[in-house]
Amino acid sequence: AQSVTQLGSHVSVSEGALVLLRCNYSSSVPPYLFWYVQYPNQGLQLLLKYTTGATLVKGINGFEAEFKKSETSFHLTKPSAHMSDAAEYFCAVTGNSGGSNYKLTFGKGTLLTVNP
Amino acid sequence: NAGVMQNPRHLVRRRGQEARLRCSPMKGHSHVYWYRQLPEEGLKFMVYLQKENIIDESGMPKERFSAEFPKEGPSILRIQQVVRGDSAAYFCASLEAVAKNIQYFGAGTRLSVL
């Protein structure tokens, strides 16, 4: 069984400030972890993913995330927020095992607001 | 390469009617997942299909909901006798192969039940 907890349903930052969106997961098998972004009335776009290997993962639009197994975390960061980053962000997990069918378990999402 | 196509984008139904949601996966993708997004909730898995086969339907309500992915044509999510609680955004995602493990999402169908 897997679950995802995103701390903070709403995060507000100033333009140019650090963005930190938190994600903790639980998984009974080694996880694959993802961050998706959703703009209003649109589908989900993949920002980045962790499967195996390097624990610091770089994604699109200047975002990155670090997989910390000991903390069961996969927090998303961006050094400097831009107005165009305003959107809803979803963390998701799936199982990394031969028996997994790779269905995603999502967190409830974090709405990021960027203030001028 | 066109992305995942879902139609219609918006669908309005009255209680008791049927809703049919269509999803055409990316070219070359033979795995399809359906997710439902209720207001102020994350996406919840509904069903996973490969061509002509339902692999995992553990997230589907036991009644009124069905899904198919025929050999030819799009995947269809069907909701019979819709109720107000079915109002949600329904997203389809496709996967080329499990080894690639990246799901690409369509723009969704927003179902409103009056």
Side-chain angles (χ1 to χ4, degrees), chain A residues 32 34 36 38 40-46 49 51 88 90 100-109, chain B residues 9 33 35 37 40-43 45 48 55-56 58 91 95 98 100-108 110:
Chain A
Y32 287 160
F34 304 82
Y36 283 88
Q38 183 180 31
N41 296 317
Q42 294 189 26
L44 277 71
Q45 179 182 4
L46 181 68
K49 66 168 184 171
T51 53
E88 189 151 26
F90 292 95
S100 171
N101 63 27
Y102 300 103
K103 62 185 177 185
L104 293 168
T105 298
F106 285 88
K108 290 192 173 183
Chain B
R9 290 291 310 276
Y33 300 76
Y35 296 85
Q37 185 178 32
E40 303 196 358
E41 299 224 359
L43 282 76
F45 167 79
Y48 164 43
I55 307 301
D56 180 352
S58 59
F91 290 94
L95 182 74
V98 291
K100 298 289 179 78
N101 64 63
I102 295 178
Q103 294 182 29
Y104 294 89
F105 281 79
R110 279 151 182 84

